[in-house]
Amino acid sequence: MQSAPEYAPDLILLDMMMPGMDGVATMDALRQLPGMFAIPMIFFTANAQQQVQRELLTRGALGVIVKPIEPNALVEQIRAHWQRYASAAAP
């Protein structure tokens, strides 16, 4: 959390279930840090409920990836979300 602004990531992948803070609390805390509000964040979760996924997207997540997932499929899904983000941000 403390090093995120100086690291300046292009994208953040958050798991919903993490020790200490869950993914939503982490996203909210990161967005309060200088320069972090606009960083796209993708959630990685075992919760396949559509309501939960819609809530994450409504709160500003770029996307939601449901576990379990094969490593290659994970990479492809992250890439697809990133490309959609980059296309929307392009002038």
Side-chain angles (χ1 to χ4, degrees):
M1 203 53 89
Q2 293 171 327
S3 64
E6 68 185 51
Y7 181 72
D10 293 322
L11 175 75
I12 298 173
L13 181 62
L14 293 170
D15 199 328
M16 280 294 292
M17 303 298 287
M18 299 185 295
M21 291 190 342
D22 67 15
V24 173
T26 301
M27 178 176 71
D28 291 344
L30 285 168
R31 291 217 166 124
Q32 298 300 313
L33 298 174
M36 297 298 295
F37 185 81
I39 304 298
M41 299 184 199
I42 298 173
F43 279 86
F44 192 50
T45 181
N47 192 332
Q49 295 178 3
Q50 292 296 316
Q51 179 181 351
V52 171
Q53 293 179 37
R54 278 193 303 274
E55 175 67 22
L56 292 170
L57 295 172
T58 299
R59 291 183 65 107
L62 174 61
V64 179
I65 298 171
V66 178
K67 306 185 245 186
I69 188 168
E70 294 294 322
N72 289 337
L74 174 62
V75 171
E76 289 305 316
Q77 284 196 31
I78 292 170
R79 182 176 291 126
H81 287 300
W82 178 256
Q83 288 173 341
R84 184 172 44 87
Y85 168 78
S87 294

Coordinates of all heavy atoms in Angstrom, one line a residue:
M1 N 0.8 -1.2 0.0 CA 0.0 0.0 0.0 C 0.9 1.3 0.0 O 0.6 2.2 -0.8 CB -0.9 -0.1 1.2 CG -2.1 0.7 1.2 SD -3.3 0.5 -0.1 CE -4.2 -0.8 0.5
Q2 N 1.9 1.2 0.8 CA 2.7 2.4 1.0 C 3.6 2.7 -0.3 O 3.9 3.8 -0.6 CB 3.6 2.3 2.2 CG 2.8 2.4 3.5 CD 3.7 2.0 4.7 OE1 4.6 1.2 4.6 NE2 3.3 2.6 5.8
S3 N 4.0 1.6 -0.9 CA 4.9 1.8 -2.1 C 4.1 1.9 -3.4 O 4.7 2.2 -4.4 CB 5.9 0.6 -2.2 OG 5.2 -0.6 -2.4
A4 N 2.8 1.8 -3.4 CA 2.1 1.8 -4.6 C 2.2 3.1 -5.4 O 2.5 3.1 -6.6 CB 0.6 1.5 -4.4
P5 N 2.1 4.3 -4.8 CA 2.3 5.5 -5.6 C 3.7 5.7 -6.2 O 3.8 6.1 -7.3 CB 2.0 6.6 -4.5 CG 1.1 6.0 -3.5 CD 1.7 4.6 -3.4
E6 N 4.7 5.3 -5.5 CA 6.0 5.5 -6.1 C 6.3 4.4 -7.1 O 7.0 4.6 -8.1 CB 7.1 5.5 -5.0 CG 7.3 4.2 -4.3 CD 8.3 4.3 -3.2 OE1 8.2 5.2 -2.3 OE2 9.3 3.4 -3.1
Y7 N 5.7 3.2 -7.0 CA 5.8 2.2 -8.0 C 5.1 2.5 -9.2 O 5.5 2.2 -10.4 CB 5.3 0.8 -7.4 CG 5.4 -0.3 -8.3 CD1 6.7 -0.9 -8.7 CD2 4.3 -0.8 -9.0 CE1 6.8 -1.9 -9.5 CE2 4.4 -1.9 -9.9 CZ 5.6 -2.4 -10.1 OH 5.7 -3.5 -11.0
A8 N 3.9 3.2 -9.1 CA 3.1 3.7 -10.2 C 2.8 2.6 -11.2 O 3.1 2.6 -12.4 CB 3.8 4.8 -11.0
P9 N 2.0 1.6 -10.7 CA 1.6 0.5 -11.6 C 0.7 0.9 -12.8 O 0.0 1.9 -12.6 CB 0.9 -0.5 -10.7 CG 0.3 0.4 -9.6 CD 1.3 1.5 -9.4
D10 N 0.7 0.2 -13.9 CA -0.2 0.5 -15.0 C -1.6 -0.2 -14.7 O -2.6 0.2 -15.2 CB 0.4 0.0 -16.3 CG 1.6 0.8 -16.7 OD1 1.6 2.0 -16.5 OD2 2.5 0.1 -17.2
L11 N -1.6 -1.3 -14.0 CA -2.7 -2.1 -13.7 C -2.5 -2.9 -12.4 O -1.4 -3.2 -12.1 CB -2.8 -3.2 -14.9 CG -3.9 -4.2 -14.8 CD1 -5.3 -3.6 -15.1 CD2 -3.7 -5.3 -15.7
I12 N -3.6 -3.1 -11.7 CA -3.5 -3.8 -10.4 C -4.5 -5.0 -10.5 O -5.7 -4.8 -10.8 CB -3.9 -2.9 -9.2 CG1 -2.8 -1.8 -9.1 CG2 -3.9 -3.7 -7.9 CD1 -3.1 -0.7 -8.1
L13 N -4.0 -6.2 -10.1 CA -4.9 -7.3 -10.0 C -5.1 -7.6 -8.5 O -4.1 -7.8 -7.8 CB -4.2 -8.5 -10.7 CG -4.9 -9.9 -10.7 CD1 -6.2 -9.8 -11.5 CD2 -4.0 -10.9 -11.3
L14 N -6.3 -7.6 -8.1 CA -6.7 -7.8 -6.7 C -7.5 -9.0 -6.5 O -8.4 -9.3 -7.2 CB -7.5 -6.6 -6.2 CG -6.9 -5.2 -6.1 CD1 -7.9 -4.2 -5.9 CD2 -5.9 -5.2 -5.0
D15 N -7.1 -9.8 -5.5 CA -7.9 -11.0 -5.1 C -8.9 -10.5 -4.1 O -8.7 -9.6 -3.3 CB -7.0 -12.0 -4.4 CG -7.6 -13.4 -4.4 OD1 -8.8 -13.5 -4.3 OD2 -6.8 -14.4 -4.5
M16 N -10.1 -11.0 -4.2 CA -11.1 -10.6 -3.2 C -10.8 -11.0 -1.8 O -11.1 -10.3 -0.9 CB -12.5 -11.2 -3.6 CG -13.2 -10.5 -4.7 SD -13.7 -8.9 -4.3 CE -15.0 -9.2 -3.1
M17 N -10.2 -12.2 -1.6 CA -9.9 -12.7 -0.3 C -8.4 -12.6 0.0 O -7.6 -13.3 -0.6 CB -10.4 -14.1 -0.1 CG -11.8 -14.3 -0.4 SD -12.9 -13.5 0.7 CE -12.7 -14.4 2.1
M18 N -8.1 -11.6 0.8 CA -6.7 -11.4 1.2 C -6.6 -11.2 2.7 O -7.5 -10.8 3.3 CB -6.1 -10.1 0.5 CG -6.1 -10.2 -1.1 SD -5.3 -8.8 -1.9 CE -6.4 -7.4 -1.4
P19 N -5.5 -11.5 3.3 CA -5.3 -11.3 4.7 C -5.3 -9.9 5.0 O -4.7 -9.1 4.3 CB -4.0 -12.0 5.0 CG -3.3 -12.2 3.8 CD -4.3 -12.1 2.7
G20 N -6.0 -9.5 6.1 CA -5.9 -8.1 6.6 C -7.1 -7.3 6.0 O -7.9 -6.8 6.7
M21 N -7.1 -7.1 4.7 CA -8.1 -6.3 4.0 C -8.6 -7.1 2.8 O -7.7 -7.8 2.1 CB -7.6 -5.0 3.5 CG -7.3 -4.0 4.6 SD -6.9 -2.3 4.1 CE -6.5 -2.3 2.4
D22 N -9.9 -7.1 2.5 CA -10.3 -7.8 1.3 C -10.0 -6.9 0.1 O -9.5 -5.7 0.2 CB -11.8 -8.1 1.4 CG -12.7 -7.0 1.4 OD1 -12.3 -5.8 1.0 OD2 -13.9 -7.2 1.7
G23 N -10.3 -7.4 -1.1 CA -10.0 -6.7 -2.3 C -10.7 -5.3 -2.5 O -10.1 -4.4 -2.9
V24 N -12.0 -5.3 -2.1 CA -12.7 -4.0 -2.2 C -12.1 -3.0 -1.3 O -11.9 -1.8 -1.7 CB -14.2 -4.3 -1.9 CG1 -15.0 -2.9 -1.8 CG2 -14.8 -5.2 -2.9
A25 N -11.8 -3.3 0.0 CA -11.2 -2.4 0.9 C -9.8 -1.9 0.4 O -9.5 -0.8 0.5 CB -11.1 -3.0 2.3
T26 N -9.1 -2.8 -0.2 CA -7.8 -2.5 -0.8 C -8.0 -1.5 -1.9 O -7.2 -0.5 -2.0 CB -7.0 -3.8 -1.2 OG1 -6.9 -4.6 -0.1 CG2 -5.7 -3.4 -1.8
M27 N -8.9 -1.8 -2.8 CA -9.2 -0.9 -4.0 C -9.5 0.5 -3.4 O -9.0 1.5 -3.9 CB -10.3 -1.4 -4.9 CG -10.6 -0.4 -6.0 SD -11.9 -1.1 -7.2 CE -13.3 -1.0 -6.1
D28 N -10.4 0.6 -2.4 CA -10.9 1.8 -1.9 C -9.7 2.6 -1.3 O -9.5 3.8 -1.5 CB -12.0 1.6 -0.8 CG -13.3 1.2 -1.4 OD1 -13.5 1.3 -2.7 OD2 -14.1 0.7 -0.7
A29 N -8.8 1.9 -0.5 CA -7.7 2.5 0.1 C -6.7 3.0 -1.0 O -6.1 4.1 -0.8 CB -7.0 1.5 1.1
L30 N -6.4 2.2 -2.0 CA -5.5 2.6 -3.0 C -6.0 3.8 -3.7 O -5.2 4.7 -4.1 CB -5.3 1.4 -4.1 CG -4.4 0.3 -3.6 CD1 -4.6 -0.9 -4.6 CD2 -3.0 0.7 -3.5
R31 N -7.3 3.9 -4.0 CA -7.8 5.1 -4.7 C -7.7 6.4 -3.9 O -7.9 7.4 -4.5 CB -9.3 4.8 -5.1 CG -9.3 3.7 -6.2 CD -10.4 4.0 -7.1 NE -10.2 3.1 -8.3 CZ -11.1 2.3 -8.8 NH1 -12.3 2.2 -8.2 NH2 -10.9 1.6 -9.9
Q32 N -7.5 6.3 -2.6 CA -7.3 7.5 -1.8 C -5.8 8.0 -1.8 O -5.6 9.1 -1.4 CB -7.6 7.1 -0.3 CG -9.1 6.7 -0.1 CD -10.1 7.8 -0.5 OE1 -9.9 9.0 -0.2 NE2 -11.1 7.4 -1.3
L33 N -4.9 7.2 -2.4 CA -3.5 7.6 -2.4 C -3.3 8.5 -3.6 O -3.9 8.3 -4.7 CB -2.6 6.3 -2.5 CG -2.7 5.4 -1.3 CD1 -1.9 4.1 -1.6 CD2 -2.2 6.1 -0.1
P34 N -2.3 9.4 -3.5 CA -2.0 10.3 -4.6 C -1.6 9.5 -5.9 O -0.8 8.6 -5.9 CB -0.8 11.1 -4.1 CG -0.8 11.0 -2.6 CD -1.5 9.6 -2.3
G35 N -2.3 9.9 -7.0 CA -2.0 9.3 -8.3 C -2.5 7.9 -8.6 O -2.3 7.4 -9.6
M36 N -3.3 7.4 -7.6 CA -3.8 6.0 -7.8 C -5.2 5.9 -8.2 O -5.7 4.8 -8.5 CB -3.6 5.3 -6.4 CG -2.1 5.1 -6.0 SD -1.1 4.2 -7.2 CE -1.8 2.6 -7.0
F37 N -6.0 7.0 -8.2 CA -7.4 6.9 -8.4 C -7.7 6.3 -9.8 O -8.7 5.5 -9.9 CB -8.1 8.3 -8.3 CG -9.6 8.2 -8.4 CD1 -10.3 7.7 -7.3 CD2 -10.2 8.4 -9.6 CE1 -11.7 7.6 -7.4 CE2 -11.6 8.3 -9.7 CZ -12.3 7.9 -8.6
A38 N -7.0 6.7 -10.8 CA -7.3 6.2 -12.2 C -6.7 4.9 -12.6 O -6.9 4.5 -13.7 CB -6.9 7.4 -13.2
I39 N -5.9 4.3 -11.7 CA -5.2 3.1 -12.1 C -6.3 2.0 -12.3 O -7.1 1.7 -11.3 CB -4.2 2.6 -11.0 CG1 -3.2 3.7 -10.8 CG2 -3.5 1.3 -11.4 CD1 -2.3 4.1 -11.9
P40 N -6.4 1.3 -13.4 CA -7.4 0.2 -13.6 C -7.1 -0.9 -12.7 O -5.9 -1.3 -12.5 CB -7.2 -0.1 -15.0 CG -5.9 0.4 -15.5 CD -5.5 1.5 -14.6
M41 N -8.1 -1.5 -12.1 CA -8.0 -2.7 -11.2 C -8.9 -3.8 -11.7 O -10.1 -3.5 -12.0 CB -8.3 -2.2 -9.8 CG -7.4 -1.1 -9.3 SD -7.7 -0.7 -7.6 CE -6.9 0.9 -7.5
I42 N -8.4 -5.0 -11.7 CA -9.1 -6.2 -12.1 C -9.2 -7.1 -10.9 O -8.2 -7.3 -10.2 CB -8.4 -6.9 -13.2 CG1 -8.4 -6.1 -14.5 CG2 -9.2 -8.2 -13.5 CD1 -7.5 -6.7 -15.6
F43 N -10.4 -7.6 -10.6 CA -10.6 -8.5 -9.5 C -10.5 -10.0 -9.9 O -10.9 -10.3 -11.0 CB -11.9 -8.3 -8.8 CG -11.9 -7.1 -7.8 CD1 -12.1 -5.8 -8.3 CD2 -11.6 -7.3 -6.5 CE1 -12.1 -4.7 -7.4 CE2 -11.6 -6.2 -5.6 CZ -11.8 -4.9 -6.1
F44 N -9.9 -10.7 -9.0 CA -9.7 -12.2 -9.2 C -10.5 -12.8 -8.0 O -10.1 -12.5 -6.9 CB -8.2 -12.4 -9.1 CG -7.8 -13.8 -9.5 CD1 -8.2 -14.3 -10.7 CD2 -6.9 -14.5 -8.7 CE1 -7.7 -15.6 -11.1 CE2 -6.4 -15.7 -9.1 CZ -6.8 -16.3 -10.3
T45 N -11.5 -13.6 -8.3 CA -12.4 -14.1 -7.2 C -12.9 -15.5 -7.5 O -13.1 -15.8 -8.7 CB -13.5 -13.1 -6.9 OG1 -14.3 -13.6 -5.9 CG2 -14.4 -12.9 -8.2
A46 N -13.2 -16.2 -6.5 CA -13.9 -17.5 -6.6 C -15.4 -17.3 -6.6 O -16.1 -18.3 -6.9 CB -13.5 -18.4 -5.5
N47 N -15.9 -16.1 -6.3 CA -17.3 -15.8 -6.3 C -17.8 -15.6 -7.7 O -17.6 -14.5 -8.2 CB -17.6 -14.6 -5.4 CG -19.0 -14.5 -5.0 OD1 -19.9 -14.9 -5.8 ND2 -19.3 -13.9 -3.9
A48 N -18.6 -16.6 -8.2 CA -19.1 -16.5 -9.6 C -20.5 -15.8 -9.6 O -21.1 -15.7 -10.7 CB -19.2 -17.9 -10.2
Q49 N -21.0 -15.3 -8.5 CA -22.3 -14.7 -8.5 C -22.3 -13.4 -9.3 O -21.5 -12.6 -9.2 CB -22.8 -14.4 -7.1 CG -23.0 -15.6 -6.2 CD -23.4 -15.2 -4.8 OE1 -23.6 -14.1 -4.5 NE2 -23.5 -16.2 -4.0
Q50 N -23.3 -13.3 -10.3 CA -23.4 -12.2 -11.1 C -23.6 -10.9 -10.4 O -23.0 -9.9 -10.7 CB -24.5 -12.4 -12.1 CG -24.3 -13.5 -13.2 CD -23.1 -13.1 -14.1 OE1 -22.9 -12.0 -14.5 NE2 -22.2 -14.1 -14.3
Q51 N -24.3 -10.9 -9.3 CA -24.6 -9.7 -8.5 C -23.2 -9.2 -7.9 O -23.0 -8.0 -7.9 CB -25.5 -10.1 -7.3 CG -25.8 -8.9 -6.4 CD -26.7 -9.3 -5.3 OE1 -27.3 -10.4 -5.3 NE2 -26.9 -8.4 -4.3
V52 N -22.4 -10.1 -7.4 CA -21.1 -9.7 -6.9 C -20.2 -9.1 -8.0 O -19.6 -8.0 -7.8 CB -20.4 -10.9 -6.2 CG1 -18.9 -10.5 -5.8 CG2 -21.1 -11.3 -5.0
Q53 N -20.2 -9.7 -9.1 CA -19.4 -9.2 -10.3 C -20.0 -7.8 -10.7 O -19.2 -6.9 -11.0 CB -19.5 -10.1 -11.4 CG -18.7 -11.4 -11.1 CD -18.8 -12.4 -12.2 OE1 -18.7 -12.1 -13.4 NE2 -18.9 -13.7 -11.9
R54 N -21.3 -7.6 -10.8 CA -21.8 -6.3 -11.1 C -21.5 -5.3 -10.1 O -21.2 -4.1 -10.5 CB -23.4 -6.4 -11.3 CG -23.8 -7.0 -12.6 CD -25.3 -6.8 -12.8 NE -26.1 -7.3 -11.8 CZ -26.6 -8.6 -11.7 NH1 -26.2 -9.4 -12.7 NH2 -27.3 -9.0 -10.7
E55 N -21.5 -5.6 -8.9 CA -21.2 -4.7 -7.8 C -19.7 -4.2 -8.0 O -19.4 -3.0 -7.8 CB -21.4 -5.3 -6.4 CG -20.9 -4.4 -5.3 CD -21.7 -3.1 -5.1 OE1 -22.9 -3.1 -5.5 OE2 -21.2 -2.2 -4.5
L56 N -18.8 -5.1 -8.2 CA -17.4 -4.8 -8.4 C -17.2 -3.8 -9.6 O -16.5 -2.8 -9.6 CB -16.5 -6.0 -8.6 CG -16.4 -6.9 -7.4 CD1 -15.8 -8.2 -7.7 CD2 -15.6 -6.2 -6.3
L57 N -17.9 -4.1 -10.7 CA -17.8 -3.3 -11.9 C -18.5 -1.9 -11.6 O -17.9 -0.9 -12.0 CB -18.5 -3.9 -13.1 CG -17.8 -5.2 -13.6 CD1 -18.7 -5.9 -14.6 CD2 -16.4 -5.0 -14.1
T58 N -19.5 -1.9 -10.9 CA -20.2 -0.6 -10.5 C -19.3 0.2 -9.6 O -19.2 1.5 -9.8 CB -21.5 -0.9 -9.8 OG1 -22.4 -1.6 -10.6 CG2 -22.2 0.4 -9.3
R59 N -18.5 -0.4 -8.8 CA -17.6 0.3 -7.9 C -16.3 0.8 -8.7 O -15.5 1.4 -8.1 CB -17.2 -0.6 -6.7 CG -18.3 -0.8 -5.8 CD -17.8 -1.6 -4.6 NE -16.9 -0.9 -3.8 CZ -17.1 -0.4 -2.6 NH1 -18.3 -0.5 -2.1 NH2 -16.2 0.3 -2.0
G60 N -16.2 0.4 -9.9 CA -15.1 0.9 -10.7 C -14.0 -0.1 -11.2 O -13.0 0.3 -11.7
A61 N -14.3 -1.3 -10.9 CA -13.3 -2.3 -11.3 C -13.3 -2.4 -12.9 O -14.4 -2.2 -13.5 CB -13.6 -3.7 -10.8
L62 N -12.2 -2.6 -13.5 CA -12.1 -2.7 -14.9 C -12.7 -4.1 -15.3 O -13.3 -4.1 -16.4 CB -10.6 -2.7 -15.3 CG -10.3 -2.9 -16.8 CD1 -11.0 -1.9 -17.7 CD2 -8.8 -2.9 -17.0
G63 N -12.5 -5.1 -14.5 CA -13.1 -6.4 -14.9 C -13.0 -7.3 -13.7 O -12.5 -7.0 -12.6
V64 N -13.6 -8.5 -13.9 CA -13.7 -9.5 -12.9 C -13.3 -10.9 -13.6 O -13.9 -11.2 -14.6 CB -15.1 -9.7 -12.2 CG1 -15.1 -10.8 -11.2 CG2 -15.5 -8.3 -11.6
I65 N -12.3 -11.6 -13.0 CA -11.9 -12.9 -13.5 C -12.3 -13.9 -12.4 O -11.9 -13.7 -11.2 CB -10.4 -12.9 -13.8 CG1 -10.1 -11.9 -14.9 CG2 -10.0 -14.3 -14.2 CD1 -8.6 -11.7 -15.1
V66 N -13.0 -14.9 -12.8 CA -13.5 -15.9 -11.8 C -12.6 -17.1 -11.8 O -12.2 -17.6 -12.8 CB -14.9 -16.4 -12.2 CG1 -15.4 -17.4 -11.2 CG2 -15.9 -15.2 -12.2
K67 N -12.2 -17.5 -10.6 CA -11.4 -18.7 -10.3 C -12.3 -19.9 -10.2 O -13.4 -19.8 -9.9 CB -10.6 -18.6 -9.0 CG -9.8 -17.4 -8.8 CD -9.0 -17.6 -7.5 CE -9.4 -16.6 -6.5 NZ -8.6 -16.6 -5.3
P68 N -11.8 -21.1 -10.4 CA -10.4 -21.4 -10.9 C -10.3 -21.1 -12.4 O -11.2 -21.1 -13.1 CB -10.3 -22.9 -10.6 CG -11.7 -23.4 -10.7 CD -12.6 -22.3 -10.2
I69 N -9.0 -20.9 -12.7 CA -8.8 -20.6 -14.1 C -7.3 -21.1 -14.5 O -6.4 -21.0 -13.6 CB -8.9 -19.0 -14.4 CG1 -8.8 -18.7 -15.9 CG2 -7.9 -18.2 -13.6 CD1 -9.2 -17.3 -16.3
E70 N -7.2 -21.5 -15.7 CA -5.9 -22.0 -16.1 C -5.0 -20.8 -16.3 O -5.4 -19.7 -16.7 CB -6.0 -22.7 -17.5 CG -6.8 -24.0 -17.4 CD -6.1 -25.1 -16.6 OE1 -4.8 -25.2 -16.6 OE2 -6.8 -25.8 -15.8
P71 N -3.7 -20.9 -16.0 CA -2.8 -19.8 -16.1 C -2.8 -19.1 -17.5 O -2.8 -17.9 -17.5 CB -1.4 -20.4 -15.8 CG -1.7 -21.6 -15.0 CD -3.0 -22.1 -15.5
N72 N -2.8 -19.9 -18.6 CA -2.8 -19.2 -19.9 C -4.1 -18.4 -20.1 O -4.1 -17.4 -20.7 CB -2.6 -20.2 -21.0 CG -1.2 -20.8 -21.0 OD1 -0.3 -20.1 -20.5 ND2 -1.1 -22.0 -21.6
A73 N -5.2 -19.0 -19.6 CA -6.5 -18.3 -19.7 C -6.5 -17.0 -18.9 O -7.1 -16.0 -19.3 CB -7.7 -19.2 -19.3
L74 N -5.9 -17.1 -17.7 CA -5.8 -15.9 -16.9 C -5.0 -14.8 -17.6 O -5.5 -13.6 -17.7 CB -5.0 -16.2 -15.6 CG -4.7 -15.0 -14.7 CD1 -6.0 -14.4 -14.2 CD2 -3.9 -15.5 -13.5
V75 N -3.9 -15.1 -18.2 CA -3.2 -14.1 -19.0 C -4.0 -13.5 -20.1 O -4.0 -12.3 -20.3 CB -1.9 -14.7 -19.5 CG1 -1.2 -13.8 -20.5 CG2 -0.9 -15.1 -18.4
E76 N -4.7 -14.4 -20.8 CA -5.6 -13.9 -21.9 C -6.7 -13.0 -21.4 O -7.0 -12.0 -22.1 CB -6.1 -15.1 -22.7 CG -5.1 -15.8 -23.5 CD -4.3 -14.9 -24.5 OE1 -4.9 -14.0 -25.1 OE2 -3.1 -15.0 -24.5
Q77 N -7.3 -13.3 -20.3 CA -8.4 -12.5 -19.8 C -7.8 -11.1 -19.3 O -8.4 -10.1 -19.5 CB -9.1 -13.2 -18.6 CG -10.0 -14.2 -19.2 CD -11.1 -14.7 -18.2 OE1 -11.5 -13.9 -17.3 NE2 -11.5 -15.9 -18.2
I78 N -6.7 -11.1 -18.7 CA -6.1 -9.9 -18.2 C -5.8 -9.0 -19.5 O -6.0 -7.8 -19.5 CB -4.8 -10.1 -17.4 CG1 -5.2 -10.7 -16.1 CG2 -4.0 -8.8 -17.2 CD1 -4.0 -11.2 -15.2
R79 N -5.2 -9.7 -20.5 CA -4.9 -9.0 -21.8 C -6.1 -8.4 -22.4 O -6.1 -7.2 -22.9 CB -4.2 -9.9 -22.7 CG -3.8 -9.2 -24.0 CD -3.0 -10.2 -25.0 NE -1.7 -10.4 -24.4 CZ -1.2 -11.6 -24.1 NH1 -1.9 -12.7 -24.5 NH2 0.0 -11.8 -23.6
A80 N -7.2 -9.1 -22.4 CA -8.5 -8.7 -23.0 C -9.0 -7.4 -22.2 O -9.4 -6.4 -22.9 CB -9.5 -9.8 -23.0
H81 N -9.0 -7.5 -20.9 CA -9.4 -6.3 -20.1 C -8.5 -5.1 -20.4 O -9.0 -4.0 -20.5 CB -9.4 -6.7 -18.6 CG -10.5 -7.6 -18.2 ND1 -11.9 -7.3 -18.4 CD2 -10.5 -8.8 -17.6 CE1 -12.6 -8.3 -17.9 NE2 -11.8 -9.2 -17.4
W82 N -7.2 -5.4 -20.4 CA -6.3 -4.3 -20.7 C -6.5 -3.7 -22.1 O -6.5 -2.4 -22.2 CB -4.8 -4.8 -20.5 CG -3.9 -3.7 -20.8 CD1 -3.1 -3.5 -22.0 CD2 -3.5 -2.6 -20.0 NE1 -2.3 -2.4 -21.9 CE2 -2.6 -1.8 -20.7 CE3 -4.0 -2.2 -18.7 CZ2 -2.1 -0.6 -20.1 CZ3 -3.5 -1.0 -18.2 CH2 -2.5 -0.3 -18.8
Q83 N -6.7 -4.5 -23.1 CA -6.9 -4.0 -24.4 C -8.2 -3.1 -24.5 O -8.2 -2.1 -25.2 CB -6.9 -5.1 -25.4 CG -5.5 -5.7 -25.7 CD -5.5 -6.9 -26.5 OE1 -6.5 -7.6 -26.7 NE2 -4.3 -7.2 -27.0
R84 N -9.2 -3.6 -23.8 CA -10.5 -2.8 -23.8 C -10.3 -1.5 -23.1 O -10.7 -0.5 -23.6 CB -11.6 -3.6 -23.0 CG -12.9 -3.0 -23.0 CD -14.0 -3.9 -22.4 NE -13.6 -4.6 -21.2 CZ -13.8 -4.1 -20.0 NH1 -14.3 -2.9 -19.8 NH2 -13.4 -4.8 -19.0
Y85 N -9.5 -1.5 -22.0 CA -9.2 -0.2 -21.3 C -8.4 0.7 -22.2 O -8.7 1.9 -22.3 CB -8.4 -0.6 -20.0 CG -7.8 0.6 -19.4 CD1 -8.6 1.5 -18.6 CD2 -6.4 0.9 -19.5 CE1 -8.0 2.6 -18.0 CE2 -5.8 2.0 -18.9 CZ -6.6 2.8 -18.2 OH -6.0 3.9 -17.6
A86 N -7.3 0.1 -22.8 CA -6.5 1.0 -23.7 C -7.2 1.5 -24.9 O -7.0 2.7 -25.3 CB -5.3 0.1 -24.2
S87 N -8.1 0.7 -25.4 CA -8.9 1.2 -26.6 C -9.9 2.4 -26.2 O -10.0 3.3 -26.9 CB -9.8 0.1 -27.2 OG -9.0 -0.9 -27.7
A88 N -10.4 2.3 -25.0 CA -11.3 3.3 -24.5 C -10.6 4.6 -24.1 O -11.1 5.7 -24.3 CB -12.1 2.8 -23.3
A89 N -9.3 4.4 -23.7 CA -8.5 5.6 -23.3 C -7.8 6.3 -24.5 O -7.4 7.4 -24.3 CB -7.5 5.1 -22.3
A90 N -7.8 5.6 -25.6 CA -7.1 6.1 -26.8 C -7.8 7.4 -27.3 O -9.1 7.3 -27.3 CB -6.9 5.1 -27.8
P91 N -7.1 8.4 -27.8 CA -7.7 9.6 -28.3 C -8.5 9.3 -29.6 O -8.2 8.5 -30.4 CB -6.6 10.6 -28.5 CG -5.3 9.8 -28.4 CD -5.7 8.5 -27.8

